[in-house]
């Protein structure tokens, strides 16, 4: 990093940083031009490039945490999950970074600001099903996202896309790749983090279920659930069909032992498919 905290405009001899796309609890994501691809004939070759922000860039083992995010998500191949490209270290600045698919569209948190009364079911349902499909796929690949919230969901012309696995981990992970523990910084977003995570518990598939259920509730209600909302007083959101409410209510349970629904089961409930009693 320079004395101003800004990275050089050219990284890896090929990636020209254009502007900041977003900042998270740990990293900064830029839109960058891949000059090598442009020299080989591509008219425009944008990528998203993530590097560590201050003060994490100063930690001696922070680059390992950045690599762990890349390694976790690089094998995922799903149209609703961001694609990872490469992990590199700029030799001159010694800045570690990785490149990934540049997503066009609007993050879901910004979309929700424009919909204070929630989305109509005809718009909400396909969005919810696509998001559940993406999260269900990651769970099938034994990957936990860890930070399911509207700011980590892109909405574009081709649908939604889930990104930012910075707080994720493998379900069967025995030891972290990094000695920089995630518990050293408060990265959870309280409105979408499962209660057990806010209390210091371990990440689980049930925690991801809670996060995606909070998103669906907000899409249908227009307002956040709230981390202290009493479950016994929750009512079916105005934009949600009543036959979907029982499943969503289970997914919103504050006690993880009572959150007995999987992402796939929640997806089937949101599809509202009635059982066929004949062949």
């Amino acid at each position: 990093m320079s004395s101003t905290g800004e990275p050089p405009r050219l990284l890896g001899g090929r990636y020209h940083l254009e502007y900041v796309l977003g900042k998270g609890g740990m990293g900064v994501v830029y839109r960058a031009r891949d000059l090598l691809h442009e020299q080989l004939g591509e008219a425009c070759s944008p990528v998203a490039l993530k590097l560590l922000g201050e003060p994490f860039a100063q930690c001696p083992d922070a680059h390992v945490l950045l690599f762990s995010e890349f390694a976790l998500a690089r094998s995922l191949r799903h149209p609703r999950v961001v694609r990872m490209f490469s992990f590199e270290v700029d030799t001159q600045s010694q800045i570690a970074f990785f490149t990934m698919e540049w997503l066009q569209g609007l993050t879901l948190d910004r979309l929700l600001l424009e919909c204070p009364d929630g989305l109509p079911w005809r718009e909400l349902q396909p969005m919810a099903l696509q998001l559940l499909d993406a999260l269900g796929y990651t769970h099938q690949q034994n990957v936990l996202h860890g930070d399911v919230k509207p700011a980590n969901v892109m909405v574009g012309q081709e649908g939604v896309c889930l990104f930012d696995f910075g707080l994720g981990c493998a379900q069967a992970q025995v030891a972290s790749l990094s000695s920089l523990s995630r518990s050293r910084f408060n990265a959870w977003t309280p409105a979408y983090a499962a209660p057990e995570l806010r209390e210091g518990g371990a990440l689980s598939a049930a925690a991801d279920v809670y996060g995606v259920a909070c998103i669906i509730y907000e899409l249908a209600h227009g307002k956040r659930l709230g981390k202290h909302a009493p479950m016994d007083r929750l009512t079916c959101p105005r934009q949600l069909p009543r036959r979907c409410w029982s499943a969503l209510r289970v997914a919103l349970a504050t006690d993880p032992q009572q959150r007995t629904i999987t992402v796939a089961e929640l997806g089937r409930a949101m599809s509202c498919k009635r059982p066929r009693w004949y062949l």
Side-chain angles (χ1 to χ4, degrees):
M1 293 283 185
S2 67
S3 59
T4 62
E6 295 294 328
R9 302 307 294 176
L10 185 69
L11 288 177
R14 63 184 283 190
Y15 300 108
H16 175 73
L17 304 188
E18 294 186 309
Y19 53 84
V20 174
L21 292 171
K23 295 182 179 181
M26 177 182 77
V28 183
V29 180
Y30 290 82
R31 174 183 147 123
R33 290 168 50 200
D34 187 340
L35 301 183
L36 176 61
H37 283 190
E38 291 182 10
Q39 290 174 1
L40 293 174
E42 291 189 21
C44 181
S45 187
V47 297
L49 184 149
K50 185 170 184 177
L51 47 78
L52 291 170
E54 297 289 346
F56 298 102
Q58 306 304 321
C59 298
D61 53 358
H63 64 284
V64 185
L65 184 58
L66 188 69
F67 179 76
S68 72
E69 176 184 353
F70 172 78
L72 182 70
R74 66 179 166 184
S75 63
L76 299 177
R77 296 289 186 272
H78 191 279
R80 305 293 175 197
V81 178
V82 67
R83 287 179 296 147
M84 297 291 179
F85 293 152
S86 66
F87 183 90
E88 303 179 42
V89 178
D90 182 75
T91 54
Q92 291 188 344
S93 64
Q94 290 300 299
I95 292 176
F97 64 92
F98 65 77
T99 56
M100 56 188 164
E101 176 185 11
W102 174 58
L103 302 173
Q104 290 182 287
L106 194 69
T107 52
L108 192 52
D109 58 330
R110 293 177 59 190
L111 177 64
L112 283 165
L113 291 175
E114 302 174 3
C115 306
D117 296 323
L119 274 67
W121 179 244
R122 66 180 181 276
E123 298 177 15
L124 188 163
Q125 185 189 34
M127 196 175 297
L129 290 177
Q130 290 172 10
L131 179 56
L132 289 165
D133 186 39
L135 189 60
Y137 167 79
T138 68
H139 286 187
Q140 289 173 357
Q141 303 304 308
N142 295 316
V143 171
L144 302 175
H145 185 277
D147 196 20
V148 183
K149 61 183 180 181
N152 289 339
V153 179
M154 186 69 72
V155 183
Q157 292 184 346
E158 298 181 359
V160 306
C161 188
L162 181 64
F163 63 96
D164 196 343
F165 288 77
L167 294 179
C169 68
Q171 292 197 61
Q173 194 171 23
V174 177
S176 173
L177 285 171
S178 173
S179 59
L180 180 65
S181 172
R182 289 165 173 81
S183 64
R184 280 164 56 179
F185 54 96
N186 182 17
W188 311 116
T189 303
Y192 306 98
E196 64 270 22
L197 291 180
R198 300 197 298 264
E199 295 171 1
L203 178 61
S204 66
D208 275 354
V209 168
Y210 182 88
V212 75
C214 286
I215 292 177
I216 295 172
Y217 180 89
E218 187 173 353
L219 285 170
H221 187 57
K223 297 179 178 60
R224 290 182 179 181
L225 178 64
K227 61 180 180 179
H228 300 300
M231 289 303 300
D232 58 343
R233 297 183 183 178
L234 282 184
T235 58
C236 182
R238 61 179 71 88
Q239 306 286 13
L240 188 74
R242 189 159 294 277
R243 60 183 179 272
C244 301
W245 175 233
S246 59
L248 186 61
R249 190 183 178 97
V250 172
L252 290 169
T254 55
D255 183 351
Q257 299 299 319
Q258 297 179 3
R259 207 180 305 136
T260 55
I261 190 170
T262 66
V263 173
E265 290 168 342
L266 184 57
R268 288 193 288 272
M270 290 298 112
S271 70
C272 292
K273 292 182 179 179
R274 300 181 183 278
R276 292 180 59 181
W277 302 106
Y278 59 90
L279 296 178

